[in-house]
Amino acid sequence: MSRRSFLAAGATGAAVTAGGCVDRVQSVVGQAGSNQLSVSITTVPADADRQNVRIANRLKDHLEQVGIGVSMDMRSRSEMLSAVLIDHDFDIYVGLHPADYDPDFLYEALHSTFASEAGWQNPFGFTRLYFDRLLEEQRQLDGEKRNRRIESILWGLAREKPFEPICVPDEYRVASTDRFEGWEDGDLATRYGYLGLEPAEDVDDLHALVTDSRLTTNLNPLSAPYRNRGTTIDLLYDSLGTEHGGEVTPWLATSWEWTEESRDAATATPDRAATRTATITLREGCQFHDGEPVTAHDVAFTYRFLADTSLGRAPIQSPAPRYRGHVDIVDEITVESDNELTITIAGEQAVGERAFTVPILPEHVWRKRVDQYASDSEFTAPQGEWAVVTADNIPPVGSGPFQFDERTEEESLVLTRFDDHFTQRDDVALPEATVDELRFTVDPGSAASIGRVADSNADVTASMLSTHSLPAIPDSPAVKRLQSPSRRFYHVGFNVRNAPFSNSHFRRAITQLIDKEAIVEEVFYGNATPAATPVTGEWIPSSLEWGGEDPVTPFPSSDGDLNVEAAKAAFERAGFRYDDNGRLLED
């Protein structure tokens, strides 16, 4: 009997009438001691992410060695993200976390406020008051004080383990040098990778290959199951600022100026946070792709809409399943004129500027959609699941450097240059679209994509290449190997809402089974970095730098293999027991 079956049986027993209730409950409880503990691992198949499923299979093997029953729950990318992020229907999953340039992404990932919400905000259901306090405090601090709070958060995460970082992959792509120069100046995981390129004479189109077809079926910037980092969204929509190299600089805004905080941040409390106000000036004369002007009213609408996609029409607020943590810090917005507004945030400047990276949405489009569904007196807007946030949003109406042209589902997406975009102006020193057409074509896999670029049948691989395909990159001056820094990390996530995953000792016992060094060498062929934390670069405290093993749950090795007896001892210390056949029993 699986763990879920046992829980269902317990619920059924509790619901029977008093006449048979005692015998029934005693029967179920009496059987509990002989049931093997079973778990399900949710992942994607190899044709979606070979590394992901190989990590899942290694974990499955080690779990079975320590006496745990395991089933694999294989789903497509969007189905897996729906199960994990929207429905919270999983035990354990293996995935690639989008992360972000600033560790404030941990606020939405772990704060208990978001434990019941849909989206990347706390899909684990993790709730710890001391953690909430640390997450709130890091927003109020800067410099060394903030670094110390973040170190405390990272150490708490290493002990609690609602999820376990495994490694940060090296991101490789390939580009043809026949038709374009300037590939090394941008990061193809961002809008900068597709802007400012130098095409050869008479070249007016850019052909990019992707191994993920989701961008051909859904272009809704709010859809958690269909968005990873949102590179395509950043080409279709503008944001006030754009992140490049870890810094947020003006994009749709020409500038912003911060006032001093309203009171001393040192005396701030979670109930009464210090605030700062940014006065933001927009570029004049900007338009959406349908010709409507972009104004400060659209900006104000965007932040209010992301905070409640029902716009106050539903009985309960329905925050967007994406960008939740970005806008949660916004305290007040005031429109001063069509091109100027103020945004007050409850935190420090660095965290506030992260809020400036959300896509600006046209009020006339999205308000109309809300009105369409909210006319019914019985209107509700289930968070993350109602039509406005799940619709495909095709054709999208943004104001970005490219606009939608056409798509063929599962095959291709075509964007065309938006000639009225502000980056096309002579007095704007930002990279612009240099081709008339940008075509994304779905290719079956990384190796095939490399071959098409090498044969001059495509210009670039937009998707990160799978590590097994890297040897296929030809040693040719016509093909450039592009490496970009990655913030995304492979990880194992736990649904801590349910036993036994609500037990941190049990989670630690599982994470000790993950041999990160071996995964990097045998799954990624050395093209990744083992990780003890979900942050990268300068944000990793020296106390948590990778030193060959996890600082809290080192892999119990015996000549390179799992030391099964040592691993089992960790489960016994967590309060679990084994039967005579070596099966771990349900608690």
Side-chain angles (χ1 to χ4, degrees):
M1 179 184 289
S2 71
R3 179 179 62 83
R4 284 179 175 159
S5 299
F6 171 74
L7 292 175
T12 303
V16 298
T17 60
C21 183
V22 174
D23 288 341
R24 177 72 173 186
V25 173
Q26 286 178 339
S27 175
V28 171
V29 173
Q31 294 171 9
S34 61
N35 290 332
Q36 182 182 25
L37 193 150
S38 298
V39 302
S40 173
I41 301 177
T42 302
T43 185
V44 295
D47 60 356
D49 188 330
R50 181 177 296 204
Q51 291 89 220
N52 204 83
V53 73
R54 291 186 67 190
I55 293 170
N57 281 326
R58 292 174 73 97
L59 178 58
K60 175 179 182 290
D61 178 58
H62 286 172
L63 286 169
E64 289 176 338
Q65 287 187 51
V66 298
I68 297 175
V70 183
S71 61
M72 298 292 279
D73 179 18
M74 293 283 189
R75 300 175 182 245
S76 70
R77 287 185 176 100
S78 59
E79 289 172 341
M80 173 185 161
L81 291 177
S82 291
V84 172
L85 305 183
I86 308 299
D87 301 328
H88 302 152
D89 180 23
F90 68 98
D91 288 342
I92 303 171
Y93 76 89
V94 178
L96 189 57
H97 197 288
D100 207 351
Y101 72 94
D102 187 280
D104 187 58
F105 79 86
L106 294 171
Y107 181 89
E108 63 253 33
L110 296 168
H111 199 286
S112 62
T113 297
F114 311 126
S116 62
E117 290 190 8
W120 272 115
Q121 51 267 26
N122 202 348
F124 322 104
F126 181 68
T127 56
R128 291 290 186 276
L129 291 180
Y130 85 92
F131 232 87
D132 290 350
R133 185 178 67 254
L134 291 172
L135 291 165
E136 291 158 2
E137 288 174 351
Q138 64 85 24
R139 289 188 148 190
Q140 295 293 316
L141 301 169
D142 60 6
E144 186 57 34
K145 289 183 179 179
R146 186 177 185 224
N147 290 343
R148 287 199 295 270
R149 286 296 189 283
I150 291 170
E151 182 173 6
S152 296
I153 291 168
L154 296 175
W155 266 107
L157 178 61
R159 295 185 180 99
E160 294 278 0
K161 297 191 183 295
F163 66 88
E164 176 70 352
I166 298 173
C167 64
V168 177
D170 298 337
E171 294 203 19
Y172 288 101
R173 296 170 177 82
V174 293
S176 171
T177 59
D178 291 342
R179 303 196 328 139
F180 289 92
E181 294 182 357
W183 292 113
E184 63 280 353
D185 297 333
D187 179 356
L188 285 160
T190 72
R191 57 164 61 102
Y192 275 89
Y194 301 89
L195 304 176
L197 293 170
E198 301 174 30
E201 188 175 357
D202 297 328
V203 171
D204 57 10
D205 67 297
L206 172 60
H207 187 192
L209 302 177
V210 294
T211 55
D212 185 347
S213 65
R214 285 178 294 171
L215 83 173
T216 69
T217 60
N218 185 298
L219 290 171
N220 191 329
L222 309 185
S223 174
Y226 284 89
R227 302 277 81 79
N228 283 335
R229 286 182 287 199
T231 305
T232 310
I233 297 302
D234 285 345
L235 295 172
L236 290 166
Y237 293 85
D238 288 319
S239 47
L240 292 176
T242 188
E243 183 269 324
H244 190 55
E247 299 289 333
V248 179
T249 55
W251 184 255
L252 179 61
T254 58
S255 64
W256 51 74
E257 294 184 7
W258 290 95
T259 63
E260 291 299 319
E261 56 203 75
S262 61
R263 61 188 186 81
D264 186 1
T267 63
T269 67
D271 296 328
R272 186 171 178 269
T275 60
R276 285 179 176 269
T277 298
T279 300
I280 300 168
T281 303
L282 304 183
R283 299 183 189 277
E284 295 186 1
C286 293
Q287 296 180 5
F288 289 106
H289 299 152
D290 61 0
E292 291 294 318
V294 179
T295 73
H297 296 279
D298 295 292
V299 177
F301 167 82
T302 295
Y303 287 93
R304 292 165 183 155
F305 177 64
L306 293 176
D308 178 12
T309 58
S310 79
L311 298 176
R313 310 279 286 277
I316 301 174
Q317 286 191 347
S318 184
R322 297 192 74 229
Y323 310 110
R324 178 74 162 104
H326 295 67
V327 302
D328 180 72
I329 199 170
V330 174
D331 189 61
E332 184 179 357
I333 300 177
T334 302
V335 174
E336 304 292 346
S337 69
D338 281 351
N339 291 304
E340 186 174 286
L341 72 157
T342 60
I343 296 181
T344 300
I345 58 108
E348 273 294 328
Q349 178 176 331
V351 179
E353 289 181 352
R354 183 170 176 253
F356 297 168
T357 62
V358 304
I360 301 305
L361 308 175
E363 180 176 8
H364 65 281
V365 171
W366 291 86
R367 185 177 289 280
K368 181 179 179 180
R369 293 180 183 176
V370 175
D371 291 343
Q372 176 184 348
Y373 294 101
S375 58
D376 190 333
S377 60
E378 301 297 320
F379 169 67
T380 60
Q383 196 266 330
E385 299 184 65
W386 77 292
V388 164
V389 300
T390 60
D392 62 19
N393 188 42
I394 294 176
V397 177
S399 63
F402 284 94
Q403 60 187 336
F404 176 84
D405 183 58
E406 63 177 359
R407 60 87 186 249
T408 301
E409 284 197 56
E410 308 295 333
E411 293 184 11
S412 64
L413 168 69
V414 179
L415 310 180
T416 56
R417 178 170 55 199
F418 183 44
D419 289 328
D420 290 328
H421 194 258
F422 59 82
T423 54
Q424 299 291 331
R425 302 172 187 173
D426 293 337
D427 61 346
V428 175
L430 288 169
E432 77 281 7
T434 56
V435 292
D436 294 337
E437 179 182 286
L438 170 57
R439 174 182 294 271
F440 293 97
T441 300
V442 179
D443 202 77
S446 293
S449 295
I450 293 170
R452 291 184 66 178
V453 171
D455 293 339
S456 299
N457 292 320
D459 295 308
V460 68
T461 57
S463 298
M464 181 177 73
L465 295 173
S466 180
T467 54
H468 80 279
S469 69
L470 297 182
I473 299 176
D475 183 12
S476 166
V479 177
K480 180 179 287 290
R481 179 192 294 237
L482 304 172
Q483 183 176 7
S484 57
S486 181
R487 301 184 183 108
R488 298 193 297 173
F489 58 90
Y490 282 91
H491 66 295
V492 169
F494 300 100
N495 192 343
V496 306
R497 302 170 184 85
N498 303 325
F501 308 104
S502 54
N503 182 336
S504 62
H505 300 286
F506 182 77
R507 299 195 298 269
R508 285 198 292 271
I510 288 183
T511 58
Q512 68 164 341
L513 304 176
I514 303 171
D515 188 352
K516 299 177 184 180
E517 291 277 359
I519 287 172
V520 165
E521 292 303 318
E522 298 171 18
V523 174
F524 292 87
Y525 308 107
N527 296 291
T529 303
T533 77
V535 298
T536 58
E538 64 182 6
W539 293 109
I540 302 175
S542 58
S543 61
L544 284 170
E545 289 179 347
W546 186 259
E549 63 180 16
D550 189 274
V552 175
T553 52
F555 178 72
S557 174
S558 176
D559 296 326
D561 295 323
L562 176 67
N563 184 328
V564 175
E565 293 308 312
K568 284 184 173 182
F571 287 96
E572 291 176 321
R573 289 193 298 272
F576 292 81
R577 60 191 180 88
Y578 285 88
D579 66 11
D580 294 339
N581 296 316
R583 302 184 310 162
L584 189 68
L585 301 178
E586 289 182 331
D587 188 10

